[in-house]
Amino acid sequence: MMGDSLCVSHCATEAVLRRRSFITVLPFALLLPTVRVSAQLMGSSLDCHKTCVCASNIISCSKMNLTNVPIALPQYTAVLDLSFNSITRLRAEWTPVTLSRLHSLLLSNNGLTFLSSEAFVYVTKLQYLDLSSNGLRQLDEFIFEPLEHLEVLLLYNNCISQIDRSAFSGLMMLQRLYLSQNQISRFPLELVKERSRLETLRLLDVSSNRIKTLPLHEVQALPAWIKNGLYFHNNPLPCSCELYDVVASWGLKELSSVTDFRSSHTCVLPGPQKEKMAVLDLDKVNLNCSEVKIKDEEAYLEQFLVLDCDTRQKNMVKSWALPGNIPVSRANKTALVRDDGSLQIGPLRAEDSGVYTCSATSDSFNETLYVTVVVFNSTMSGGLENLKTAYTTLVACLVSIVMVLIYLYLTPCRCACCPGNGLEKNDPVDSLHSSAVSISQAHEETGQERVEGGSFPYRHVGFMEVKDQLEQNGRLNPIGEEDEEWQGDNRERRRSDAESVSSVCSDTPMVV
């Protein structure tokens, strides 16, 4: 009995111990799937023999069918190539340690659809980031803000349709941004216009997107070194002569964005068929746009003119030569090279017309620009002065006509009370024709004849009869000279050219 009780007790003890061991082991068993999932999320350790190639500070794990970034990456890594894998999500913990020497990260062709907002916290020294050929649909705010040293960002061949305005904030060193072959519908003008955002940006590629409108006037006003790296071809832009002017003028300046993709600059013709057409052919058919030519500078005398050396590269050393290939020097008082490389000339003279040459040089590129200046031989207000002269001539002519009409039709005062009028009120010789008086009152005879061969010391005017007055048909000689002579019964008259009223308003203008 005692043995049985001891066996039962021993069995009971074993049962208790088994239960305790099961309870103890159960949590570890439940944690095994979590550990496996965590290991799968974190990725396997770096294997430089099977999954990656390690050459000095370069680690290449391309085309290894990886689903996660390998862990335990060495801190001396400078280039990490993870392209052509199956990494669909780039989480914040993809590298738990800071990779302070990593300057190039390649994640193209991975099917990426998610980027953590903290994905680049531990790789702030990146200069080259390739996220091309993935499945990204949007760029959230401040997503690239930690990358203050980034120079090249490749985002082409994704599905990006939404870009937050602050997505590229903090990229103060960014030089090249590739956004082609996406679903972008708005042209990001602020990236190139507001220089405070991306001060060093010199290439922006938004080609092959869904952009239907382009701020042509603002784009045309950009410096040539920005337009040289602004690619917007292969977008459904509507055809217009303004678009043709932009593309044609860029072609004349040999900007790479047009010369390298000349045939890809197309537009959509108006109509239900939405037919595409080469932009540079709009001057020949359809819209019949006028031919674009490089416009020369035009100015007037005494003006100041600023000539811009609009080069295709930024920060080039510029020098100017005046017409006749004369270098600009301090001895020349009418030409001054400004701090930004432009040339200020003035006050302009007629001899300042000619071709001005700007020579721009850099370590890898030389460029020569020619600016033709035409100085008109008049001041800016020359047209106004001509208008004033014409107005003065017209006024003088009108005043002359009014004075003639007054002289012809305004009857002088015939009252006895008028000063100097000594004729009687009923004097038969009182008439309009009797208003001509002789110079001297000592000779008031009306019938005095001139002695043949002699002359009178004073001029006389004979009063004509009423009959003679009627035959003159009311005409007066405005000059008051005795240029008519009545001969015999035929009464032939000689008239002086001054009698014609039409000679009053002559070709010579009267200045008032």
Side-chain angles (χ1 to χ4, degrees):
M1 296 292 294
M2 288 233 7
D4 292 337
S5 62
L6 288 173
C7 185
V8 171
S9 176
H10 179 71
C11 291
T13 304
E14 286 184 355
V16 172
L17 292 174
R18 287 177 183 174
R19 288 194 189 97
R20 288 180 179 178
S21 62
F22 176 77
I23 294 173
T24 305
V25 173
L26 181 61
F28 293 100
L30 294 175
L31 288 174
L32 285 176
T34 307
V35 172
R36 291 177 181 176
V37 173
S38 178
Q40 184 178 3
L41 292 176
M42 292 297 295
S44 58
S45 298
L46 175 65
D47 190 346
C48 292
H49 300 286
K50 295 182 180 180
T51 58
C52 299
V53 176
C54 303
S56 182
N57 58 356
I58 298 176
I59 298 178
S60 176
C61 307
S62 178
K63 298 181 180 180
M64 291 299 174
N65 199 27
L66 298 177
T67 57
N68 291 283
V69 180
I71 61 175
L73 293 171
Q75 294 186 1
Y76 59 77
T77 305
V79 178
L80 179 60
D81 185 1
L82 298 171
S83 60
F84 294 94
N85 283 290
S86 300
I87 305 173
T88 59
R89 301 173 71 85
L90 190 64
R91 303 177 183 275
E93 61 272 9
W94 71 270
T95 172
V97 296
T98 301
L99 301 177
S100 59
R101 300 184 185 180
L102 185 66
H103 60 74
S104 298
L105 177 60
L106 290 74
L107 286 165
S108 62
N109 294 278
N110 270 280
L112 272 173
T113 58
F114 172 76
L115 289 177
S116 172
S117 59
E118 299 179 355
F120 307 106
V121 173
Y122 296 109
V123 289
T124 58
K125 296 299 179 66
L126 274 182
Q127 299 177 11
Y128 184 93
L129 177 59
D130 187 358
L131 297 171
S132 63
S133 300
N134 284 292
L136 298 175
R137 295 183 177 275
Q138 65 182 23
L139 299 177
D140 297 330
E141 58 180 355
F142 305 109
I143 185 68
F144 302 111
E145 186 179 25
L147 305 177
E148 56 184 13
H149 298 281
L150 191 66
E151 297 179 359
V152 180
L153 178 56
L154 284 73
L155 290 165
Y156 63 86
N157 195 23
N158 277 276
C159 303
I160 301 173
S161 60
Q162 297 181 5
I163 301 177
D164 191 88
R165 289 182 176 270
S166 61
F168 303 108
S169 297
L171 301 179
M172 304 306 297
M173 303 297 293
L174 189 64
Q175 298 180 13
R176 290 177 285 174
L177 176 59
Y178 298 86
L179 290 168
S180 62
Q181 300 181 49
N182 280 284
Q183 299 178 12
I184 301 172
S185 58
R186 186 187 70 87
F187 180 77
L189 179 65
E190 65 276 1
L191 297 181
V192 291
K193 183 180 179 181
E194 300 176 13
R195 305 308 303 162
S196 59
R197 284 176 173 252
L198 303 175
E199 295 181 1
T200 59
L201 186 66
R202 55 185 177 86
L203 188 149
L204 174 62
D205 187 359
V206 291
S207 61
S208 302
N209 276 280
R210 298 181 178 180
I211 300 175
K212 295 183 179 181
T213 58
L214 197 67
L216 296 174
H217 295 288
E218 296 182 87
V219 169
Q220 186 72 314
L222 295 172
W225 64 269
I226 293 181
K227 294 186 291 188
N228 190 49
L230 184 58
Y231 297 85
F232 60 87
H233 57 274
N234 199 22
N235 274 287
L237 297 170
C239 294
S240 65
C241 290
E242 290 78 9
L243 179 62
Y244 168 77
D245 291 342
V246 172
V247 177
S249 61
W250 290 18
L252 290 175
K253 293 182 178 180
E254 298 182 353
L255 301 182
S256 301
S257 54
V258 173
T259 57
D260 295 348
F261 297 92
R262 188 179 185 89
S263 60
S264 299
H265 278 277
T266 58
C267 59
V268 180
L269 290 172
Q273 297 181 354
K274 303 296 182 180
E275 182 182 355
K276 285 187 177 182
M277 182 180 179
V279 175
L280 294 177
D281 291 337
L282 292 176
D283 63 329
K284 302 174 183 177
V285 294
N286 296 96
L287 299 181
N288 194 24
C289 301
S290 58
E291 183 181 0
V292 175
K293 297 181 180 179
I294 297 179
K295 185 179 179 181
D296 298 328
E297 295 288 346
E298 297 179 350
Y300 296 87
L301 296 177
E302 300 178 3
Q303 270 190 317
F304 284 86
L305 190 63
V306 177
L307 307 181
D308 189 14
C309 189
D310 200 12
T311 57
R312 286 176 286 171
Q313 285 193 5
K314 187 181 180 182
N315 298 329
M316 301 185 70
V317 180
K318 303 173 183 179
S319 60
W320 285 88
L322 304 176
N325 202 24
I326 302 174
V328 177
S329 62
R330 295 182 179 180
N332 195 311
K333 301 299 182 182
T334 60
L336 173 65
V337 179
R338 305 203 303 183
D339 295 337
D340 58 355
S342 59
L343 178 67
Q344 176 180 306
I345 54 177
L348 292 176
R349 302 164 299 175
E351 54 268 24
D352 290 330
S353 298
V355 179
Y356 292 77
T357 306
C358 176
S359 299
T361 59
S362 65
D363 296 337
S364 60
F365 183 76
N366 295 334
E367 186 177 2
T368 303
L369 299 178
Y370 301 95
V371 182
T372 303
V373 176
V374 179
V375 181
F376 294 107
N377 195 15
S378 61
T379 59
M380 188 66 178
S381 59
L384 183 59
E385 292 178 355
N386 295 335
L387 181 62
K388 289 181 179 180
T389 303
Y391 177 75
T392 303
T393 304
L394 178 62
V395 171
C397 189
L398 292 176
V399 171
S400 301
I401 294 175
V402 171
M403 294 180 66
V404 169
L405 293 176
I406 292 175
Y407 186 82
L408 290 176
Y409 297 104
L410 186 60
T411 305
C413 179
R414 293 179 291 178
C415 300
C417 59
C418 292
N421 193 349
L423 298 177
E424 295 295 335
K425 192 172 185 180
N426 296 327
D427 194 342
V429 296
D430 183 19
S431 67
L432 179 63
H433 295 275
S434 65
S435 61
V437 295
S438 61
I439 298 176
S440 175
Q441 295 184 3
H443 300 80
E444 295 181 350
E445 295 86 354
T446 60
Q448 186 175 3
E449 298 181 355
R450 182 170 50 179
V451 179
E452 186 176 355
S455 62
F456 295 112
Y458 303 101
R459 297 285 303 272
H460 294 268
V461 178
F463 296 103
M464 294 179 291
E465 299 293 336
V466 178
K467 180 179 180 180
D468 295 336
Q469 296 176 13
L470 295 176
E471 290 182 358
Q472 284 219 37
N473 197 18
R475 288 192 176 183
L476 290 176
N477 185 354
I479 300 180
E481 293 183 353
E482 192 177 26
D483 57 353
E484 294 184 358
E485 184 177 354
W486 297 85
Q487 298 178 355
D489 296 332
N490 294 330
R491 291 181 171 84
E492 296 178 357
R493 299 189 295 182
R494 288 183 308 171
R495 301 174 181 267
S496 65
D497 294 336
E499 183 182 359
S500 176
V501 177
S502 63
S503 65
V504 175
C505 188
S506 61
D507 294 337
T508 303
M510 179 182 295
V511 181
V512 294

